[in-house]
Amino acid sequence: MPFWDKKTETLHHEKLEALQLKRLRKTAKICYSRVPFYRRRFDDLGIKPDDIKSLEDISKLPFTTRQDLLDNYPFGLAAVPLEEIVRIHASSGTTGKPKIFPYTRNDLDNWSELMARELYMVGVTKQDVVQLIYNFAFFTGGFGFQQGAERIGSMVIPAGAGNTKRQLTTMLDLKTTVFSSTPSYALHMAEVMEEMGLRGDDLSLRIGVFGAEPWSESMRKKIEFGFGIDAFDNYGLSEMCGPGVCIECEEKSGMHLWRDHFLPEVVDSEGNAVEKGELVLSTLTREGLPLLRYRTGDLTAFVDEECSCGRTHGRISRIRGRTDDMLIIRGVNVFPSQFEDIALGFPGIGDSYQIIVDRKASMDSLNFRVEVTEEIFRGSEVALRDLKNRLERELREGLCVSAVVELVEPKSIQRSEGKAKRVVDLREV
Ligand code: ADP
Ligand code: ZN
């Protein structure tokens, strides 16, 4: 697939690492000299930015957490005078209080460049019509895609979130070829498309870029089939820039993480390097909000093999969920994404689900409420019971904990325009 910036995307490993080291040292110096919070952390650990002599030395640096951002709300971690700040974004607040993120002009420029790199890589060109189905208030998603697609020269439609029928008629009338939304909303659009008597073939779509929440291979297949498109996973978070941190290439096996702007680590809960664990990111070019070793809370692993596409920026695997999504059910660790992996591939099972956790007489109960297809719903009792039993068995084997399956009517679980809410935890803490 095409390169937007071939030289950078295929930079030799040694050169890429040298660039990272140079930028890491610079970021550490800026943090130390301009952000009192970091100076205190460095001093407490008895280290100086000059102690970073190799990339491995990053392990000497302090971690930064979401709580640190909240404690320093609003501008405590900003590393430039406020007059240099030209834009503010804020987190969608899926997990509590909002955090705010200041950008300088260079930050916005780097972000646009990364988004152009990503979109061009999955095949978006000047000829494309790109419809962005994100909430354009505070949230980074839509803006990042807008900036990147505009840099490429595509025709951009900032359609906003929701109003599904209008999204689809816009796609039809303006001949949209590329769209981006959360994967759960894309599935919802596919349902509404069917209700409107439209088929994937009636639209001009060819590419979809999805992210902002965890999704599975079976969801990808459903989206690709429903719209007749190629669907790509893309990951990012407002703490780094928003989308633009990494994306899949045509191999669709892991996302290339842009090492010229971010330095990734994968750690366990104690912060030690591990193969599979929490992604930790340091910014390498960020001016407004440089962050060292930010604990993303997102679970992933490095993909070791070189990629056939020729890009030297190593990949990370699909995000499995967040550390704080983990449910502990009767002592067993369970992630919502595991339900999706097991259930959505089952014939007769629909697209939407909810996991309901409760505690009765000090015993945790786990209910998996999932929609079935129209055909199953209208079919025989026996078939329904059989499906329930089989799914319960698979879940018990896959999760090592038993769950009660509740098969519900198609389209009965509430849809979200942005990130889907999958877990309802009724246990008292
Ligand atoms: P928040 O949701 O915490 O308010 P953001 O709007 O910045 O903040 O969302 C970033 C978070 O969204 C990531 O930390 C991650 O948990 C999730 N996310 C983003 N892209 C993906 C993806 N492709 N797969 C799984 N999770 C994702
Ligand atoms: Zn690749």
Side-chain angles (χ1 to χ4, degrees), residues 181-189 213 215 219 223 352 415-416 418-420 422:
S181 67
T182 58
S184 54
Y185 192 68
L187 277 181
H188 173 57
M189 284 203 302
E213 64 183 5
W215 54 312
M219 255 175 107
I223 294 172
S352 283
R415 272 35 173 181
S416 153
K419 305 185 189 222
R422 307 287 199 193

Side-chain angles (χ1 to χ4, degrees), residues 249 256 307 309:
C249 65
H256 287 285
C307 189
C309 75

Side-chain angles (χ1 to χ4, degrees), residues 292-357:
L292 294 172
R293 306 190 85 199
Y294 184 73
R295 308 276 305 231
T296 66
D298 295 317
L299 296 164
T300 188
F302 286 125
V303 175
D304 290 330
E305 301 90 55
E306 296 280 319
C307 189
S308 65
C309 75
R311 287 178 179 81
T312 48
H313 299 244
R315 289 167 291 169
I316 59 165
S317 64
R318 185 186 271 287
I319 304 285
R320 304 289 302 159
R322 297 174 74 111
T323 46
D324 48 15
D325 268 354
M326 191 179 75
L327 294 164
I328 305 180
I329 311 289
R330 288 169 240 136
V332 180
N333 298 348
V334 181
F335 285 97
S337 60
Q338 290 178 285
F339 285 87
E340 190 172 314
D341 285 345
I342 296 171
L344 297 203
F346 247 75
I349 293 292
D351 305 326
S352 283
Y353 65 93
Q354 259 183 345
I355 298 158
I356 299 135
V357 192

Side-chain angles (χ1 to χ4, degrees), residues 43 59 63 66 68 240 270 275 325 362-363 370 382 417:
D43 289 347
S59 63
F63 287 109
R66 184 176 317 163
D68 295 329
M240 294 299 117
E270 259 96 70
E275 227 159 76
D325 268 354
S362 72
M363 254 303 258
V370 63
V382 181
E417 294 168 358

